[in-house]
Amino acid sequence: MNAIVALCHFCELHGPRTLFCTEVLHSPLPQGASSGDISGQNEQAEEEEGGIQMSSRIRSHSPAEGASADSSSPGPKKSDMCEASGCRSLAGGHPGYVSHDKETSIKYVSHQHPNHPQLFSIVRQACVRSLSCEVCPGREGPIFFGDEQHGFVFSHTFFIKDSLARGFQRWYSIITIMMDRIYLINSWPFLLGKIRGIIDELQGKALKVFEAEQFGCPQRAQRMNTAFTPFLHQRNGNAARSLTSLTNDENLWACLHTSFAWLLKACGSRLTEKLLEGAPTEDTLVQMEKLADLKEESEGWDGSEEEEKPSSQPDVVEGQELSKSSPETSLMPDCNSWNVAHRRLSVFRSLRHMRQVLGASAFRMLAWHVLMGNQVIWKAQDMDLVQSAFDVLRTMLPIGCVRIIPYSDQYEEAYRCNFLGLSPHVQIPPHILSSEFAVLVEVRAATRSSLYPTLFDDEQSLNKYEFVVTSGSPVAADRVGPTILNKIEAALTNQNLSVDVVDQCLVCLKEEWMNKVKVLFKFTKVDSRPKEDTQKLLSILGAAEEDNVKLLKFWMTGLSKTYKSHLMSTVRSPTSSESRN
C-alpha cells in the first residue's frame, strides 16, 4: 500500500510534532538507511509486541554502526527540539529502521521524518491538522480528512498518561496518509481495529508506569501544596518526557516500526484488484439454453422414438450440429472412427489461414454471405475439410445464429441450416445456384497449373485442392460492406496480431454488435417505435448502411430466449405500466 503511517505528538512548547513515521519504498533506499542484520534488541521488541506481530516474510533491520544523520534533512531545527527528547524519537545519528519484503521487493523505512521534502510537508501538515482542528468530540478517536493536493488522512488521536504533565496526560495521534481516497475509506474498519490495538498497548504500558510513579510520589497532592508559578512547570526538564520514558520500553521504536510495516503490508494485501467477468454474454446464454434443451430431450428419448426418426433428415441444433446419414450410404462413417483412422492435415485452422488459401476476394465474398445470414454450401469429398471450414466460419457469428448440417447426401433448405456440407454428387436446385442469398464453395482436385506453394510447414494436402467460390450475388471489391467485416479483415491482415489475439478481437466485435442488436430489438420489437425514430437510432449506433441493417436484423434471431422473455415480461408487468402512467 503506497501510504505513510506516522506517530504524532502535541508538545506543550512547540505544538504538533511528528515523532516517528514509516513509508513504503519501491526504489533504492534513501541515503543513511542501512540494511544490516537485525539485532537482539529488535527481536526482543517483536516478542514484546503482544499480538501485533510482523509477517514472517518481512525481515526487520537495525541501523548500521557508524552511520551519520543527514544534515540536509528537512526536519525541524535542533533549537526547536525539546531537550528532554519529548519531540524526538530516534537519537541523533540514528539512520532509522528498514524492513525487506522479499516477495515483493518492497522496503519499509522508518525515520522520525520523511527524507523527501514534499513528503515531509504532507506529513507535517497532516500532523498539525490531526492535533489541532481535525479532531472528533472528546479529542480521542478516529477521524478522516484531506484533499487531492495534500492527500487523505485517517487519524486516530489518543492520550498517554504522564504523571508530570498538565492534566496528567499527553496528546498523541497515529495517522495514515495516502492519495487514494476510496482505498483509504474502504480500509477504515481494518485500520481502526489494528491502530486501536497499537494504541491500547501503548496506553497499557504508560498506565503501569503512571500508577507506579503515583504510588511512589503522588503528584496531585504535591502540586496542591506547591505555590503556583506561571509557566514554570511547563518549562522544567520533566515537562517533555519521551514516549520511551512514559512506557518504560527501550525497544518502543523498533516495535512501532514492526507494527507500522506490518500494517502497511497487510492493508495493501487485503484489498486486491480482480477481473470481473460481469454479466454473461449472449453466446453464453444461448449455450446454456441449448444445453438445457438437449438435456431435456435426452431424458425424454426412448428407443422407439429413435427408431421412428427419419434417417434421411439430418438433425440440426442452433449453435451445434448432430451428423447423421441414411443407412444405405457409406459417405459418412462413424465420426470417431473416421477422426482416429483417417486424420488428415487438410483442414483450416483459422480465419487467417482460410483467407490465405481462398484468396482475399473469394474470402471477402464468403465472409459477407456468412455475416448476412445467407446459406453457405460446401461441396467436398473430404468431410474433415468441410467440418474445419464450418468451425472456422462460425466464429464470425453469434452462437444463436449458427445452424449447421456438416455433411448430407441431399440438399437442405436454408430455413433448416445456414451452413450445409454436401458430397460432390449431390445436385443443388438451379434457383439456389442463381440466388443472391446463397454462396457455394466447390472443392475440386487441383490441376498442376493451379497448384500453389505450401503456406505452412505442416500443410501436406490442401494444395491438392482448388476452391471455387460462386454466388448469384457476387460482392463487388469496391463495396463497403458491413462495418464488422472491414474490422475483421483489418485484424486478419495485421501480421503483428497472433491467431489468439485475432480470436479475442472477434469476441469483442461480436459482443459490440450484439449490444447494438439488443438496443434495436428493444427499440423496434418491444417499444414499437416508428421508422423515423429507428433510422435515427441506427445513425447513432453507426449502423445506418444497408449491409449493417441487414446484419443487425439477422443477428437479432440469435438473441437468447432469456433476454427476449426478460424484456417482454418487463414491459407487460403491471408495475412497469403503472410507473409510466
Side-chain angles (χ1 to χ4, degrees), residues 228-291:
F228 176 73
T229 53
F231 304 106
L232 178 63
H233 179 70
Q234 70 175 2
R235 292 183 180 274
N236 61 26
N238 295 329
R241 301 168 65 185
S242 65
L243 191 58
T244 54
S245 175
L246 295 178
T247 58
N248 193 26
D249 185 0
E250 296 297 328
N251 301 321
L252 175 67
W253 305 118
C255 290
L256 282 179
H257 165 77
T258 304
S259 300
F260 287 174
W262 180 90
L263 185 69
L264 289 170
K265 177 178 175 61
C267 191
S269 301
R270 61 179 292 271
L271 294 178
T272 57
E273 295 181 352
K274 293 184 178 180
L275 178 61
L276 301 179
E277 296 183 359
T281 63
E282 280 299 302
D283 282 358
T284 304
L285 291 176
V286 172
Q287 282 180 325
M288 294 170 60
E289 291 173 357
K290 298 309 173 184
L291 290 175

Side-chain angles (χ1 to χ4, degrees), residues 506-565:
L506 284 174
V507 173
C508 295
L509 287 173
K510 286 193 295 184
E511 194 63 20
E512 174 189 354
W513 281 83
M514 282 305 290
N515 289 334
K516 297 180 181 181
V517 169
K518 291 179 181 179
V519 175
L520 184 61
F521 178 82
K522 174 70 165 57
F523 203 78
T524 57
K525 303 298 182 181
V526 179
D527 296 342
S528 300
R529 299 294 184 90
K531 292 184 179 181
E532 294 77 9
D533 292 346
T534 304
Q535 288 299 324
K536 293 179 182 178
L537 175 66
L538 291 173
S539 299
I540 294 174
L541 295 177
E545 296 79 7
E546 180 183 359
D547 285 348
N548 287 329
V549 175
K550 290 181 179 179
L551 182 143
L552 292 176
K553 290 182 178 179
F554 168 57
W555 283 30
M556 199 178 293
T557 62
L559 285 175
S560 62
K561 298 177 182 177
T562 304
Y563 179 78
K564 292 179 180 179
S565 60

Side-chain angles (χ1 to χ4, degrees), residues 323-335:
S323 303
K324 294 183 181 179
S325 60
S326 57
E328 58 272 9
T329 181
S330 61
L331 288 176
M332 187 169 182
D334 180 69
C335 291

Side-chain angles (χ1 to χ4, degrees), residues 294-323:
L294 284 176
K295 185 176 180 181
E296 292 179 1
E297 291 178 6
S298 62
E299 293 175 353
W301 284 348
D302 53 32
S304 60
E305 290 179 346
E306 289 186 346
E307 292 175 0
E308 294 174 0
K309 200 166 191 178
S311 58
S312 61
Q313 296 293 329
D315 298 331
V316 182
V317 180
E318 292 184 7
Q320 51 190 303
E321 67 278 345
L322 298 173
S323 303

